[in-house]
Amino acid sequence: MKAFYAEEQKRHDPKAFLSSGAAKPNPEMPERVERLLAGAISAGYAIERPRNHGLGPVAALHTPEYLDFLEHIFERWQRIEGASAEVIPNIHPIARSGSYPASAVGQAGYHMADTACPISGETWQSALWSAWSAVEAAETVMAGAPAAYALCRPPGHHAFADVAGGFCFINNSAVAAQVLRKQAARVAILDVDLHHGNGTQGIFYARPDVLTVSLHADPVRFYPFFWGHADERGEGPGLGYNLNLPLPRKSADAAFLEALGVAFQRIRAFSPDALVVALGLDAFEGDPFGGLSVTTPGFSRIGEAIAKLGLPTVIVQEGGYLCDELGDNLTAFLTGFGGKKS
Ligand SMILES: [Zn+2]
């Protein structure tokens, strides 16, 4: 099976990160790419470079002012005397009921949810190529492949239509789902990342054509805090088309697979024509975030269980941070899913 990735995706190299207010190295490091590439190759996937798909598939979901911000903010930021080397917000609108700010500092606060997604001169191109990897994987599945893997880095599931957050800029999983919608009347997104896919939920919250399901560590005391709770079910025509399955901290394979069973019931009832898996590997017991305790064989069982849905599937990389087993966990998932069978 095919995997998609472009070298440009590695250039984004964020430095700043605040964890409980303390400065730490940003965990979304370019080295993740090497581990994930090795993992995909071990599973028998052939790595291909995506084509340049232009702004169309990204602008289908993200607002023009947000995309303009992502493309130009670094250059504008550098003109501010004494500003930080990377774009990092220090003021946010407490509610988005006021006016759209004209200043670079104001716009950084408007378009960035937190300090985990600093923007450098390389960020825009890396994020675009990451999204184009997702587009290419979706088009491959639309052309008849049973599945394809997009090595999306930077990741995407915390990005809303006009807000970056949690290492994410362009919502690659959402972009893949929207591309699939050209052929598929209904698309389901199953997010198995450690963290709730709040951006994806936000983008499709009022839509009944894309079902969003997320398994994650309970946000009651975990990022992204404000979203991911079980009572968030969608709104308007999208009411009932969002399912959150928060898990107690340190939940291991059995609890994760049980919740996955609940997710499958909902997905089967929705009867989608295609599936996007937002594949975070940070639910791993040895991941630096330490939120859940899924094992390496557990990822294999998760992949195997998802394959049984029998749907054309786009697998989009989300989180999963540096640890010895990062590549092995991807291999385990893809092999369980069926990576060596075709
Ligand atoms: Zn995550």
Side-chain angles (χ1 to χ4, degrees):
M1 281 202 256
K2 289 182 180 178
F4 296 97
Y5 163 73
E7 275 298 310
E8 287 86 345
Q9 293 174 229
K10 220 167 95 175
R11 293 189 192 154
H12 168 66
D13 186 7
K15 305 295 182 202
F17 180 59
L18 288 179
S19 177
S20 304
K24 292 191 177 161
N26 192 299
E28 209 286 280
M29 297 172 187
E31 196 190 333
R32 293 180 62 239
V33 165
E34 304 305 332
R35 312 283 183 99
L36 294 168
L37 276 176
I41 290 166
S42 290
Y45 278 62
I47 314 293
E48 288 185 20
R49 181 180 169 82
R51 289 166 294 168
N52 175 331
H53 290 275
L55 277 184
V58 171
L61 296 173
H62 293 282
T63 65
E65 65 190 18
Y66 175 59
L67 295 177
D68 185 70
F69 166 83
L70 286 181
E71 185 174 2
H72 299 294
I73 189 61
F74 178 71
E75 196 187 319
R76 293 167 60 203
W77 197 259
Q78 286 180 304
R79 294 200 286 266
I80 304 171
E81 202 181 329
S84 53
E86 300 174 302
V87 180
I88 300 165
N90 57 257
I91 181 165
H92 300 276
I94 51 163
R96 294 162 69 82
S97 55
S99 301
Y100 185 66
S103 86
V105 172
Q107 287 180 8
Y110 190 89
H111 289 302
M112 298 169 88
D114 51 52
T115 57
C117 45
I119 294 173
S120 70
E122 306 287 356
T123 304
W124 170 243
Q125 283 297 319
S126 287
L128 259 188
W129 282 99
S130 186
W132 290 336
S133 287
V135 173
E136 197 78 38
E139 289 193 347
T140 300
V141 167
M142 284 164 68
Y149 168 66
L151 200 173
C152 291
R153 184 277 164 184
H157 74 150
H158 297 307
F160 287 74
D162 64 349
V163 180
F167 316 139
C168 301
F169 304 92
I170 296 173
N171 195 314
N172 310 305
S173 292
V175 166
Q178 188 64 30
V179 170
L180 289 169
R181 276 285 288 106
K182 287 181 197 167
Q183 272 186 9
R186 286 180 305 283
V187 178
I189 302 178
L190 173 61
D191 189 321
V192 297
D193 189 279
L194 165 65
H195 304 94
H196 173 244
N198 56 334
T200 316
Q201 169 176 307
I203 286 171
F204 296 113
Y205 210 51
R207 283 174 54 170
D209 57 325
V210 178
L211 172 72
T212 45
V213 178
S214 181
L215 282 73
H216 46 267
D218 194 332
V220 68
R221 285 188 182 77
F222 206 70
Y223 189 91
F225 301 103
F226 315 110
W227 301 273
H229 303 275
D231 58 352
E232 296 157 24
R233 301 179 53 245
E235 66 184 11
L239 184 62
Y241 295 90
N242 183 76
L243 175 64
N244 287 331
L245 297 164
L247 294 159
R249 290 281 290 276
K250 301 292 177 192
S251 290
D253 296 351
F256 200 96
L257 286 158
E258 195 184 321
L260 206 54
V262 177
F264 291 162
Q265 275 178 16
R266 185 68 191 87
I267 290 170
R268 285 199 179 96
F270 178 66
S271 189
D273 306 294
L275 177 72
V276 174
V277 179
L279 178 64
L281 296 165
D282 43 2
F284 179 53
E285 58 183 348
D287 187 90
F289 281 99
L292 293 174
S293 300
V294 173
T295 65
T296 301
F299 283 113
S300 185
R301 292 173 66 192
I302 291 167
E304 205 175 335
I306 293 172
K308 284 187 186 148
L309 285 171
L311 290 164
T313 301
V314 180
I315 301 162
V316 176
Q317 186 65 48
E318 296 288 354
Y321 299 93
L322 287 189
C323 55
D324 290 345
E325 299 86 349
L326 179 57
D328 296 342
N329 290 338
L330 179 59
T331 306
F333 177 89
L334 294 176
T335 306
F337 183 80
K340 280 188 172 158
K341 288 174 198 157
S342 69

